[in-house]
């Protein structure tokens, strides 16, 4: 999960990441053919990193209210 995030956000400081930048990342991953569940998991990892950074490197997580992508229902096997 970190490889695509690192490629997109690596040279940036955590304080420079904002919701618009993450939305652009999500759009780029969608255009690259990634599924919504994959993108949501990647963004969840980023949210967790930013949540851990609150108080140390940033004052508030900039992507707290970011909406997840809609994913089709999971097909259950019987």
């Amino acid at each position: 999960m970190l490889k695509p995030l690192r490629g997109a956000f690596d040279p940036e400081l955590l304080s420079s990441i904002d919701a618009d930048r993450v939305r652009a990342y999500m759009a780029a991953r969608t255009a690259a053919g990634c599924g919504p569940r994959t993108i949501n998991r990647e963004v969840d990892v980023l949210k967790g990193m930013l949540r851990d950074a609150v108080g140390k490197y940033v004052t508030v997580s900039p992507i707290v209210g970011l909406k997840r992508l809609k994913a089709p229902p999971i097909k259950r096997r019987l």
Side-chain angles (χ1 to χ4, degrees):
M1 290 290 135
L2 289 177
K3 191 173 184 178
L5 288 171
R6 182 175 237 189
F9 298 103
D10 190 25
E12 298 180 31
L13 298 173
L14 286 176
S15 59
S16 68
I17 296 174
D18 62 354
D20 291 334
R21 180 85 170 92
V22 176
R23 281 188 202 98
Y25 169 78
M26 293 168 74
R29 293 290 287 161
T30 301
C34 293
R37 283 191 186 87
T38 301
I39 298 167
N40 286 338
R41 282 192 298 266
E42 292 170 357
V43 172
D44 287 343
V45 168
L46 182 61
K47 280 183 182 182
M49 290 176 8
L50 288 169
R51 185 176 49 243
D52 289 344
V54 170
K56 300 172 193 164
Y57 305 107
V58 295
T59 55
V60 66
S61 179
I63 59 173
V64 156
L66 192 68
K67 300 273 185 185
R68 296 170 57 93
L69 296 176
K70 291 198 181 236
I74 297 173
K75 295 179 183 176
R76 301 284 180 192
R77 293 184 186 177
L78 298 175

